[in-house]
């Protein structure tokens, strides 16, 4: 149904304006193996049960182009590898696509987007851990995201060794470790410290939760924070 025109409202001040609820953009961040995808699914089920239109997606990925970039950036082993600058641009390219193809249209019609990693991962992995210029990253982020940052971001905080151990026990069953999982302990410690630093710098958007909790308990904490934030 089309919304009433300004003219019809002036002529009939009783005319009700039907607006969709505001879109909500929630992201989960953290070290490898923190259990982000489980929490994304549990939150999506809870909000769907309340009648919201919910999309769970992930970064890099979530679109056909993004999924191809994901495979490349995680697993490319060709001669020359991927230099950090190219890696940064690959994440930004995937993000530019998902923001315009999927996220913005859904948020505009009042949906809830739950994304497993987003721009904060770029600041932490390519900025803090790979050491690329943070000013350049900030400019690229604004361009890739069209300025739409999450409304609420959960950092599932976990000792980086414990996270990697969880990833390995999962990985042995199915796939090889990727380019990021192969990095050393110092790299993963920078990741953990990086997310905590972002959360400290922007407390209005971030919530840090202990990822070592059982998934059900963690979900209850997540839901309580979402309820608070959504009013
Ligand atoms: P994934 O298998 O999704 O890892 P996880 O389960 O830990 O989320 O792989 C995504 C990898 O890409 C992960 O190691 C983090 C990294 N990454 C970046 O380096 N920069 C980014 O901007 C994003 C979104 C991910």
């Amino acid at each position: 149904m089309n919304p009433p025109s300004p003219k019809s409202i002036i002529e009939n001040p009783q005319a009700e304006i039907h607006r969709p609820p505001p879109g909500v953009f929630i992201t989960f961040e953290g070290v490898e193996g923190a259990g982000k995808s489980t929490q994304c699914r549990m939150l999506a089920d809870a909000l769907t049960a309340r009648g919201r239109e919910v999309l769970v997606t992930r970064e890099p990925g979530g679109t056909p182009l993004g999924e191809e970039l994901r495979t490349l950036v995680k697993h490319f082993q060709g001669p020359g590898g991927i230099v950090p600058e190219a890696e940064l641009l690959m994440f930004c390219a995937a993000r530019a696509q998902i923001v315009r193809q999927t996220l913005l249209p859904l948020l505009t019609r009042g949906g809830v987007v739950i994304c497993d990693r987003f721009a904060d991962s770029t600041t932490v992995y390519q900025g803090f851990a790979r050491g690329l210029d943070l000013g350049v990253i900030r400019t690229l982020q604004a361009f890739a995201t069209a300025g739409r940052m999450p409304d609420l971001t959960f950092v599932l905080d976990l000792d980086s060794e414990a996270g990697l151990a969880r990833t390995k026990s999962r990985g042995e069953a199915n796939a090889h470790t990727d380019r990021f999982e192969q990095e050393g302990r110092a790299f993963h410690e920078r990741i953990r410290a990086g997310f905590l630093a972002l959360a400290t710098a922007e407390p209005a958007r971030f919530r840090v939760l202990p990822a070592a909790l059982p998934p059900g308990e963690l979900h209850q904490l997540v839901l309580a924070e979402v309820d608070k934030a959504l009013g």
Side-chain angles (χ1 to χ4, degrees), residues 2 6 15 46 59 70 84 86 206 221:
N2 290 331
E59 272 243 81
R70 176 185 179 86
F206 283 92
L221 296 180

Side-chain angles (χ1 to χ4, degrees), residues 9-231:
I9 293 171
I10 291 164
E11 283 168 359
N12 175 13
Q14 305 304 323
E16 213 180 310
I17 304 175
H18 292 285
R19 284 201 199 91
V24 185
F25 183 19
I26 301 169
T27 56
F28 284 82
E29 300 279 5
V31 296
E32 322 279 319
K36 297 182 304 303
S37 43
T38 304
Q39 291 303 320
C40 286
R41 276 195 307 274
M42 292 174 95
L43 179 61
D45 289 346
L47 296 181
T48 304
R50 293 177 183 180
R52 296 293 302 241
E53 181 185 8
V54 182
L55 171 79
V56 182
T57 188
R58 65 178 181 180
E59 272 243 81
T63 63
L65 175 68
E67 290 295 327
E68 297 237 353
L69 285 166
R70 176 185 179 86
T71 305
L72 266 180
V73 79
K74 284 182 69 171
H75 300 292
F76 183 72
Q77 298 291 351
I82 303 179
V83 297
E85 291 78 359
E87 184 181 281
L88 167 65
L89 292 169
M90 290 166 87
F91 284 114
C92 288
R95 186 158 308 131
Q97 187 73 26
I98 194 175
V99 164
R100 288 155 184 86
Q101 183 174 338
T102 313
L103 270 54
L104 291 180
L106 184 64
L107 291 170
T108 304
R109 59 173 196 268
V112 179
V113 173
I114 301 173
C115 198
D116 187 340
R117 296 196 184 278
F118 192 64
D120 299 307
S121 276
T122 303
T123 305
V124 168
Y125 278 79
Q126 281 64 53
F128 298 157
R130 296 272 195 238
L132 292 176
D133 186 286
L134 291 172
V136 171
I137 291 181
R138 213 171 297 124
T139 304
L140 288 173
Q141 298 273 45
F143 184 60
T145 63
R148 184 59 165 103
M149 286 300 280
D151 301 304
L152 186 60
T153 296
F154 290 99
V155 172
L156 302 189
D157 183 47
L158 184 67
D159 174 75
S160 53
E161 289 283 290
L164 281 177
R166 283 197 198 176
T167 310
K168 280 205 182 97
S169 63
R170 273 190 322 222
E172 268 152 24
N174 40 50
H176 309 294
T177 55
D178 65 38
R179 291 177 55 252
F180 299 93
E181 289 158 4
Q182 285 161 12
E183 291 288 343
R185 187 184 173 149
F187 181 89
H188 291 285
E189 276 168 9
R190 282 202 294 278
I191 301 297
R192 182 188 193 189
F195 282 122
L196 293 178
L198 289 187
T200 304
E202 211 185 320
R205 174 162 70 88
F206 283 92
R207 304 287 182 278
V208 179
L209 295 175
L213 286 179
E217 270 179 54
L218 190 52
H219 169 63
Q220 290 308 320
L221 296 180
V222 166
L223 203 52
E225 290 295 340
V226 170
D227 283 339
K228 257 192 264 168
L230 302 193

